[in-house]
């Protein structure tokens, strides 16, 4: 099955509004030159408004880095999926390792995935093992546990709204990248989990690789079996680097 490439930029807790506006304009221009590739950016909440304005009329999807699982309520400091939809967001990261490290549990990720789908948005579900998991040989088990919780309440018919990102924790922001072989093996394991739970529908979601992706390693990763796209952190903050990654996708 051919799946359209998906290149996503996680801006994390960076960029004031004016900087976000400039970067979004550059991404929109770069994406216009690659119409066969799906592109999304994930600004901080405070920049969603200006990035939405800047991306108007472009093919770039507006993303958010998280949301609360409740529809509304007494949750000071939180943002609901419906609020994100109202702000023009189309896709939401669920279970990014930096949030898991801050206490987000597997079950909470599952609730967030449900909330995102309920609001009519697309979850981009992040899973990945730590270095200790990898060294202990438990990578597949960790992926299976995180996947099961994230998709506990997902129906096969909803899979066309979901993508997955394999992000080994030890490769995020460290400059260490999984080899294409390691990434492909993890992607195969995740595809097996998707098909095992959902049957043929499990072939639909794209599985992105994330972890210190740069222009220098992006092409090789994308050429590896089972890698449908890239979730780029640090390099997505640099317009020239992100454009190069897109140009070679
Ligand atoms: C990320 O934040 O999802 C990520 C992969 O970051 P980096 O590319 O900086 O490792």
């Amino acid at each position: 099955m051919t799946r359209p490439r998906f290149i996503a930029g996680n801006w994390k807790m960076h960029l004031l509004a004016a900087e976000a506006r400039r970067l979004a304009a550059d991404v929109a221009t770069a994406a216009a030159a690659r119409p066969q590739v799906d592109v999304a950016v994930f600004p901080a909440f405070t920049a969603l408004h200006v990035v939405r304005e800047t991306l108007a009329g472009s093919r770039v999807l507006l993303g958010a880095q998280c949301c609360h699982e409740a529809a509304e309520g007494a949750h000071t400091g939180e943002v609901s999926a419906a609020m994100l939809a109202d702000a023009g967001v189309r896709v939401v990261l669920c279970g990014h390792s930096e949030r898991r490290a801050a206490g987000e549990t597997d079950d909470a990720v599952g609730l967030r995935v449900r909330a995102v789908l309920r609001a009519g948005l697309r979850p981009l579900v992040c899973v990945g093992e730590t270095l200790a998991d990898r060294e202990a040989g438990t990578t597949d088990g960790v992926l299976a546990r995180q996947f099961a919780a994230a998709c506990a309440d997902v129906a096969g018919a909803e899979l066309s709204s979901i993508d997955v990102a394999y992000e080994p924790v030890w490769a995020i922001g460290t400059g260490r990248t999984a080899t294409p072989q390691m990434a492909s093996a993890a992607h195969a394991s995740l595809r097996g989990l998707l098909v095992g739970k959902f049957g043929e529908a499990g072939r639909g979601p794209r599985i992105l690789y994330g972890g210190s992706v740069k222009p220098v390693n992006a092409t090789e990763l994308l050429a590896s079996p089972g890698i449908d796209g890239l979730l780029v952190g640090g390099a997505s903050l640099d317009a020239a680097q992100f454009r190069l990654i897109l140009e070679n996708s």
Side-chain angles (χ1 to χ4, degrees):
M1 169 184 270
T2 46
R3 292 173 282 265
R5 284 262 163 89
F6 188 15
I7 306 294
N10 175 15
W11 295 355
K12 310 195 190 202
M13 197 174 72
H14 294 289
L15 306 182
L16 300 182
E19 299 165 319
R21 189 193 296 276
R22 278 196 295 276
L23 183 55
D26 284 333
V27 173
T29 305
R34 300 289 293 144
Q36 61 279 58
V37 178
D38 290 344
V39 183
V41 292
F42 297 81
F45 292 141
T46 49
L48 286 175
H49 183 66
V50 292
V51 174
R52 177 192 202 174
E53 279 177 358
T54 309
L55 295 179
S58 93
R59 304 176 41 260
V60 181
L61 297 174
L62 182 61
Q65 298 172 19
C66 188
C67 72
H68 195 272
E69 62 269 25
E72 62 177 348
H75 302 289
T76 302
E78 299 287 352
V79 172
S80 73
M83 290 169 177
L84 294 177
D86 188 46
V89 165
R90 304 277 303 284
V91 45
V92 183
L93 294 182
C94 296
H96 190 280
S97 67
E98 287 158 9
R99 296 201 54 87
R100 291 181 189 263
E104 196 165 294
T105 62
D106 289 341
D107 289 345
V109 175
L111 293 174
R112 281 169 186 32
V113 168
R114 194 62 254 149
V116 169
L117 288 168
R118 192 172 54 226
L121 304 179
R122 301 182 62 87
L124 175 49
V125 179
C126 303
V127 294
E129 82 286 2
T130 63
L131 190 56
D133 297 328
R134 179 159 282 274
E135 287 175 350
T138 55
T139 297
D140 282 349
V142 169
L143 296 182
R145 192 197 71 224
Q146 293 179 344
F147 169 83
C151 293
D153 206 9
V154 170
E158 294 175 305
L159 283 193
S160 57
S161 299
I162 293 185
D163 294 298
V164 176
Y166 167 61
E167 297 209 302
V169 178
W170 50 271
I172 297 184
T174 60
R176 290 183 65 182
T177 318
T179 64
Q181 294 74 16
M182 280 180 195
S184 277
H187 283 228
S189 168
L190 284 165
R191 183 65 65 197
L193 292 167
L194 278 160
V195 173
K197 179 169 169 78
F198 298 107
E200 278 307 295
R203 302 202 184 280
R206 289 166 293 195
I207 306 178
L208 281 55
Y209 169 80
S212 294
V213 173
K214 308 274 181 260
V216 71
N217 56 25
T219 311
E220 196 187 9
L221 284 161
L222 280 173
S224 305
I227 300 187
D228 302 313
L230 301 169
L231 178 52
V232 187
S236 74
L237 294 167
D238 181 311
Q241 288 196 45
F242 196 66
R243 190 185 60 241
L244 262 179
I245 291 170
L246 261 180
E247 277 172 4
N248 293 315
S249 296

